Amino acid sequence: QVQLVESGGGLVQAGGSLRLSCVASGNVFSSSYMTWYRQAPGKEREWVAGITSSGNTNFLESVKGRFTISRDNAKNTLYLQMTSLKPEDTAVYYCSIQYRDRGRLRSYWGQGTQVTVSS
């Protein structure tokens, strides 16, 4: 089982920036697909960004140009750099890992980190 620990959340004013980190245990990180999700109060969890093992990235339309996802395989760490933050970005942000283990797709979630953007 892979454990994921997010950090870096906090309270920031609109227009500000935050960088979230997610550290994974084990030795599957470099070959895994990594994603960030978020869940705002009263809303369903939504996918925000993803990065493949080779570094290809995708983003939710509403965060394109403002958020950057990256990974450091040597540190088993996933990042989400968030700039030009808006109040609607307020949510608990979760990282997730997906990889194949002997043909079976495995996925795990972190515990989340709160991001609050004040207007």
Side-chain angles (χ1 to χ4, degrees):
Q1 184 172 353
V2 175
Q3 308 225 330
L4 302 171
V5 179
E6 301 101 331
S7 61
L11 174 63
V12 63
Q13 288 190 329
S17 299
L18 282 174
R19 188 176 81 157
L20 306 183
S21 299
C22 171
V23 180
S25 66
N27 58 3
V28 297
F29 180 84
S30 62
S31 60
S32 300
Y33 178 64
M34 300 298 299
T35 54
W36 286 101
Y37 283 77
R38 66 186 180 187
Q39 187 166 19
K43 295 188 176 181
E44 292 192 352
R45 191 172 297 189
E46 70 174 350
W47 173 86
V48 174
I51 184 168
T52 68
S53 57
S54 57
N56 293 317
T57 60
N58 285 305
F59 296 93
L60 179 68
E61 191 64 33
S62 62
V63 307
K64 279 183 181 178
R66 299 189 298 121
F67 290 11
T68 302
I69 187 171
S70 62
R71 63 194 298 161
D72 185 336
N73 290 336
K75 296 182 178 180
N76 274 17
T77 303
L78 174 73
Y79 301 101
L80 186 68
Q81 179 69 50
M82 306 185 293
T83 64
S84 302
L85 283 161
K86 305 175 181 180
E88 51 264 42
D89 295 317
T90 294
V92 178
Y93 283 71
Y94 301 89
C95 68
S96 177
I97 186 170
Q98 286 188 339
Y99 63 96
R100 288 211 173 266
D101 177 17
R102 287 167 286 187
R104 296 187 65 179
L105 185 64
R106 306 282 187 181
S107 62
Y108 297 97
W109 295 84
Q111 83 290 347
T113 185
Q114 176 70 49
V115 171
T116 303
V117 184
S118 63
S119 57

